[in-house]
Each structure stands twice: as C-alpha cells, then as structure tokens.
Amino acid sequence: MERILILDFGSQYTMLIARRIREMNVYCDIVPFNKIPAISPDVKGIILSGSPSSVRAENAPQPDLSGVPADLPILGICYGAQWLAWKFGGEVTSSGSREYGRAKLSVKDKGDDLMKDIPEESQVWMSHGDTITALPSNYKVIASTASVANAAFRVEGRPVWGIQFHAEVHHSEFGKQILRNYVLGICGCAGSWTPASFIESTVASLREQIGSDKVVLGLSGGVDSSVAALLLHKAIGAQLHCIFVDSGLLRKDEFTSVLASYKGMGLNVKGVEASERFLGDLKGITEPEAKRKAIGRDFVEVFNAEAEKIQDVRWLAQGTIYPDVIESSAVPGASATIKSHHNVGGLPKDMKLKVVEPLRLLFKDEVRRVGAALGLDPEILGRHPFPGPGLGIRVLGEVTPEKVAILQEADAIYISALKRWNLYNGIWQAGTILLPIKSVGVMGDERTYEYTIALRAVTSVDGMTADWVHLPYDFMAEVSDTIVRGVKGVNRVVYDICSKPPATIEWE
Ligand code: XMP
C-alpha cells in the first residue's frame, strides 16, 4: 500500500496534513520525528511537519534522515522547511519578519513542479516566529511573500522542497493544489486508497490475524464500535461476540431500537439489561466526575461478567480510531490535545485477551465512509456523538429514574423535531439537559413548580471547540411548546448560547 510518511514535530496542524492527504485517497502515517521506521518501497514521500519549537533552540527536534534514500521526495512545512534550510547551512533568525495569518504568496518559478497550476498571486496562511533569512547555496526560491523572501524553496539536484506557509490550512487558497502537486505529482501516488480497498485489505488481514479464535466487542450504539463490529463480522462472522449494555442512561427507546438494528445487520449480539444496577449505583452521587467513575466501573464489570461467559474467547476488539492512536503517542508538548473521555474500557483481568483495533488507521469521516460501504444502518451512521456516561451527565446533580425518564421524553421531542425540520444533519451534536432547579409557572389556572430543560446544539469539527447553533426561532418555539405541554415535570425550556471555549459541550 503506497503511503506518505509525516514526521511529527508537534505542530497543531500535523493531523490536518494527514487529513488532506487522505482526502486524495492516499494513505499516510504520522510518526514522531525521532522514531522514523525503516523506509520500505511503499513509502513514496516524507513530509516534515511544523513545530512549536525554534530550530535555534538547544533542544530543538532533530530528525535523523540518514536512512532516507536520496531519491525519495521530501517536503518541509514551516518548521520542517526551516530545519531543511538551517541544517544545510542556511540562516534562520527570529529577527526577521514574523507572520501570523494571511499573506500574499507570489510564485517566482512557475516551472517548478510544486507550483504547478498555482496562480501568480494567491493567499496563504502563515504562522511562524522564526524566518529563513538565508538559504544554502544550492537552494532556489520558488515563491515569496511581501515580508518573507524565502517562503518556498527547492533544493537543486535533489527532490527536496520547503514551504514556510501552512498549505494544509483551509485559508491557504491553493494549499490543496500544492499538496496534490507534491503527493500525486512529485511522489507519483496513484490515489487508490478507498473505503472499498480498505475493507478488502482489512478483512483479509483480520482473517489472518484472528484465524478461528473468538473475539468479544462492546457495542455502544455509536458509529465507531458499530463499524468495527461490521468489519469483524465480515471477516469472521459468528466468531465475533458483541455485547450491548443497557445502562438505563441511553436515549428513549434506544436500547431496543439499536439492538434490533444490530440484529438486522446479522451481528451476533447479546443485549444486557443492567439499568437497575447503574441507576442504583448512582444514588446519592452528585459530583460529575464521581458519577462518571461509578458509570465507568459498572460498564467494565457488566461487560467483563458477560465476556467471561463466552468460552475460549481470545481477543478484545475496540473501535479505537486514528486520532486516539496519535493522541496517545504524539511528541511531548505537541499536536496532542489529550482526551480524558473514554467510553467502555477495561480489559477483563484474568482473561489475558489480545487487542484488535480494525479502525486504528481511520479518521472519523473515513470511519463513516467505510460504515456506509459496509451497509451500516443510516440511523447509526449519521448519529450525533453521545457521551459514554450518557444521560447520567445530562441530569445535573443526582440522577434518579424519574429524572432520567423526564429527560428522555424531552430529548426525544427535541431530536425528532430537529430531524423533521431537516436541521439534524447540519448539527454536530445536540441534546437536552435537565437542570437541578425548579421554577414557578402557570398552566391553565394552576400554579406549577417544576424543572427546567436546557436545549443544546453545537457545530464542531472534533468536539475540541464548538459553536452554538443559531436555531430558527419558530423551531425553538415549537420544541419549547411541545416539551412543556407534553412532558410532565417540566414547565420551562431555555437555550444554551455558549460556545466552547469558554463553556464545554456537556454541562457536567
Ligand atoms: P465536552 O463536554 O468536554 O465534550 O465539551 C466534548 C465531547 O466529548 C463528549 N463527552 C464524553 N464522551 N465520555 C465520553 O465518551 C465522557 O465522559 C464524556 N464527556 C463528554 C461530549 O458529548 C462531546 O461530544
């Protein structure tokens, strides 16, 4: 499988470079700059990413490229470009012009392969404190900005390029074209990495890896675990044993409908009803992290008890995806924004299971594309993210069965209205929150004293930052009215108009 290797020096944009390459249907790997693997013939090019460091700093990241064949194309981006200039005798200083944000790029060498089809002038995105003030003698400038002469260069006689700007960022108008010129043109990648080819090769390697062993997998109702299950099912059929736990904290009727949908897809799945246990263990707990711990512990224990009933199971399958893998292995102080959230975790202790993670090479949108190609129920495929602890962290304060029931009703009204109004698919995540306060209202001629429901809807790319959605007033009026009329125990509905940061998506 042809691939591009991206050396991670810790830039916040490293992952974005990988995304752009994957969008060309070319597979790529991100590896720490100091753990370069042996270069096999399937590696078609190497990209040196950006970094928060300065090449002049004492402990600046220094890759060892001695194992890289001289004819393998290299592209340095930002820090990568500075390093390529500095390492071979150029000059990088902090006294030159710093640039942050948009800049105008002028192409100086129209005949250069990297600049193919790039207009004479275009906008690029800059973010650098250091500047390359002098290039080594065999380097040639191929593009400049008003304040940075050496904005892009090529090494004469070797397939090595450097760009000071971030071609991977959306604001670089022709950035995608520059990356295409590199990956498809200079490196000569065919771009044949598609969901279908991924499924074919993964199914074959899963069969080989697992043989006739049994595998256990915890389903959550979300996209990742469902796609992992379908891939394994295609590879090993009934040797895959899925477990789907009802914590009592799922959305209204979700356990039954999702279980039916899994069975409809032919999965060997066991539904385990454990609501009473979860809700019982939440009694009296009000602190969010304590609730998370209690729920997490119950998940592990219920899952393990079920897994142990499967005789001779050898493997535990997980729906780990690429960002999870990268986040746990990234360069220190680097691109990593560490997630503390984990859904169902914990390896059954005494069972000594080996771990299989069929999605560990994929980004979320690729998981969706693979899911679609595998025929995953569109309801599950398009589903908003939902936290592992479920409604347990959307009932603020102590969780009781009554409060969960109120929240489930309100949530069902909200989500079905979003779908009816064709708003659901444009939203990254939506849900309702039950506030732990009561307020006075009047219904008919009677005074009421009941709970408040908050509605939340955000757009986001990865959940790390989010904007609140400007829902239409008519829509909000309909939802508020339907909830207050239809859900006993609620007499007020409010809408959350905070983005993340400073707020978070969930309230707890
Ligand atoms: P926050 O609230 O931190 O949420 O802005 C970001 C994303 O993570 C989800 N989330 C969780 N997911 N276990 C999970 O599996 C958790 O404990 C958890 N807490 C938040 C949240 O729904 C959003 O998608």
Side-chain angles (χ1 to χ4, degrees), residues 120-293:
E120 225 167 288
E121 297 240 298
S122 66
Q123 177 185 290
V124 292
W125 185 257
M126 289 283 191
S127 173
H128 60 107
D130 281 357
T131 306
I132 305 170
T133 42
L135 288 174
S137 57
N138 60 330
Y139 285 36
K140 183 178 170 201
V141 177
I142 55 174
S144 308
T145 68
S147 52
V148 174
N150 304 317
F153 60 79
R154 143 125 223 216
V155 179
E156 287 180 303
R158 276 200 69 173
V160 177
W161 284 260
I163 52 178
Q164 177 60 75
F165 53 90
H166 288 278
E168 67 279 17
V169 174
H170 179 69
H171 308 289
S172 289
E173 258 181 305
F174 290 88
K176 277 189 189 175
Q177 182 60 35
I178 291 177
L179 291 174
R180 287 176 74 83
N181 288 344
Y182 175 68
V183 173
L184 303 180
I186 294 168
C187 300
C189 290
S192 53
W193 194 69
T194 59
S197 70
F198 170 82
I199 292 168
E200 198 186 305
S201 62
T202 307
V203 163
S205 71
L206 285 172
R207 280 190 188 134
E208 195 181 310
Q209 191 181 9
I210 295 165
S212 56
D213 290 347
K214 285 185 194 166
V215 179
V216 62
L217 177 142
L219 284 167
S220 69
V223 181
D224 300 348
S225 64
S226 305
V227 175
L230 282 184
L231 261 176
L232 280 154
H233 176 71
K234 195 172 165 74
I236 58 166
Q239 284 162 249
L240 173 69
H241 295 251
C242 301
I243 296 170
F244 182 36
V245 177
D246 184 4
S247 60
L249 302 167
L250 295 171
R251 296 193 135 115
K252 186 184 176 188
D253 298 332
E254 189 164 271
F255 181 68
T256 329
S257 66
V258 172
L259 190 59
S261 165
Y262 282 144
K263 289 192 168 151
M265 290 183 273
L267 291 180
N268 175 13
V269 53
K270 178 166 183 192
V272 184
E273 162 50 67
S275 321
E276 270 186 34
R277 171 178 183 155
F278 280 81
L279 290 167
D281 287 342
L282 283 170
K283 220 170 164 184
I285 307 182
T286 53
E287 207 277 316
E289 287 309 305
K291 291 201 284 183
R292 274 200 172 80
K293 284 211 178 81

Side-chain angles (χ1 to χ4, degrees), residues 292 341-343 385-389 393-394 428-429 463 500 503-508:
R292 274 200 172 80
H341 313 311
H342 282 287
N343 279 345
F386 187 66
I393 54 163
R394 291 192 182 163
W428 196 75
Q429 184 168 7
K500 174 184 180 176
T504 50
I505 297 174
E506 305 293 345
W507 281 39
E508 282 195 338

Side-chain angles (χ1 to χ4, degrees), residues 354-373:
K354 294 180 273 186
V355 175
V356 55
E357 297 172 320
L359 308 179
R360 59 182 286 125
L361 299 182
L362 302 186
F363 285 109
K364 191 84 179 183
D365 55 325
E366 293 167 339
V367 173
R368 288 215 163 90
R369 279 163 68 197
V370 167

